[in-house]
Amino acid sequence: MKALVYHGPGNKSWDEVPDPVLIHPTDAIVQVDTTTICGTDLHILKGDVPAVTPGRILGHEAVGTVLEVGESVTQVSVGDRVIVSCISACGTCTYCRSGNPSHCLSDEGASGIGWILGHLIDGTQAEKVRIPFADTSLYALPDGVPDDAAILLSDILPTGFEIGVQYGRVKPGDTVAVVGAGPVGLAVIATAGLYGAARIISIDLDPSRLELARQVGATHVVNSGEADWAEQVRALTDGYGVDVAIEAVGVPATFDMCTRLVRPGGSIANVGVHGRSVELELDRLWIQNITISMGLVNTTTLGMLLKLVAQGKLPVATFVTHRFGLADMMSAYETFGNAAQTKALKVLISR
Ligand code: NAD
Ligand code: ZN
Ligand code: ZN
């Protein structure tokens, strides 16, 4: 089969590789009908994720069709259309049983990390993929949910909802600021209404991203390239700041912005993946009764979010901006890697 293979920092190609085979009785082999590229894949290609070794097939998001199942698999069958979770959950270890499969202790991960696809084992940017723990890592897709909505459930919608909205403890009536309006920030915005956010302020440097933010539910947008961005946000509150500030970029500057926007008693939820350490001004913040949270997505809300998507209750129609065939994977990377010029958000790559 063909697959997108990582050959070390800055180096990838669309190669002929052996088909995946069942290794454990809990595995399934899934034909990839649709996959996509995540910002994390770009981090890997820059060499930021050294656990990814040359020869690895990248990708942790997919919608597909089950081709083969191991003898212990009972919840999915050959021919089922499924969503692949970016987290492979054994379902039985102490972390899986306490709702934190992002730290699954299975042998596959070997490191206590549930994100193994396209990281520690071969991933979804391929014609076929082996999915460990198929019963607890695949979700049967109801008829009528198109691939371009379903693909968002592999990673970004659960990420925005779990690590942004839930960890940020958004509650009815809250004013929520979301820094960063990439796919993940937009997923936060699209799901913040589920817990009753009254005002959702999207903050980004890119006017086209801010326009998309409005389309998925931002009530206000602020361009942080403007000198008075913080005053603009505060003017949308009672003057004391937002109830919840959500970081969806992954650089020190945007985390710092959140610490300047949150009101006393409020929450900062960090969603961004950080490549370097961030200074925390505890001398200024300690007295403000702020809660700070962070984490790797668990995808434990995938099934719930799927029900909402199936009922048309989440604004997911505008996330996919570009479409490619699997054989055009390299062009898809080119387009996604130049998002500032191409205005790419989610690139859909389908067979
Ligand atoms: P992205 O790069 O597509 O989007 C980031 C956005 O931030 C862009 O729109 C950019 O214009 C904006 N931005 C950059 N600097 C800014 C600034 N100073 N002020 C305001 N906006 C600024 O990224 P994405 O795919 O949306 O992902 C966001 C983050 O979430 C990444 O760090 C990604 O790795 C992370 N992530 C985390 C998890 C998790 O489990 N915690 C899962 C998936 C992704
Ligand atoms: Zn991802
Ligand atoms: Zn586990």
Side-chain angles (χ1 to χ4, degrees), residues 191-254:
T191 56
L194 295 175
Y195 282 164
R199 291 179 166 209
I200 304 172
I201 307 164
S202 174
I203 304 170
D204 203 292
L205 296 164
D206 179 346
S208 67
R209 290 269 166 110
L210 291 172
E211 183 46 44
L212 289 168
R214 281 195 193 278
Q215 291 175 26
V216 301
T219 56
H220 301 80
V221 301
V222 169
N223 191 314
S224 52
E226 293 167 13
D228 65 342
W229 62 269
E231 288 74 31
Q232 288 184 46
V233 175
R234 255 189 294 281
L236 296 168
T237 72
D238 52 10
Y240 299 119
V242 300
D243 299 290
V244 184
I246 300 176
E247 199 284 340
V249 185
V251 297
T254 45

Side-chain angles (χ1 to χ4, degrees), residues 88-96 101 103-106:
S88 304
C90 79
T92 55
C93 76
T94 180
Y95 287 121
C96 282
H103 293 279
C104 179
L105 293 166
S106 82

Side-chain angles (χ1 to χ4, degrees), residues 20 28-32 84 117 122-124 127-131:
I29 303 296
V30 173
Q31 164 188 288
V32 175
V84 175
L117 284 173
D122 285 337
T124 56
E127 290 177 320
K128 298 173 193 172
V129 59
R130 178 180 71 92
I131 302 296

Side-chain angles (χ1 to χ4, degrees), residues 250-266:
V251 297
T254 45
F255 183 82
D256 188 68
M257 286 166 72
C258 290
T259 71
R260 289 171 199 288
L261 292 177
V262 70
R263 66 192 290 119

Side-chain angles (χ1 to χ4, degrees), residues 317-343:
T318 50
F319 279 78
V320 173
T321 53
H322 294 75
R323 290 164 199 276
F324 295 89
L326 267 180
D328 297 323
M329 182 70 74
M330 298 295 276
S331 318
Y333 262 93
E334 191 68 30
T335 299
F336 186 72
N338 291 305
Q341 289 80 46
T342 59
K343 303 202 185 311

Side-chain angles (χ1 to χ4, degrees), residues 38-41 60-61 86 155-156 159 346:
C38 176
T40 308
D41 299 320
H60 51 266
E61 297 159 274
C86 66
D155 177 353
I156 66 163
T159 294
K346 271 316 223 188

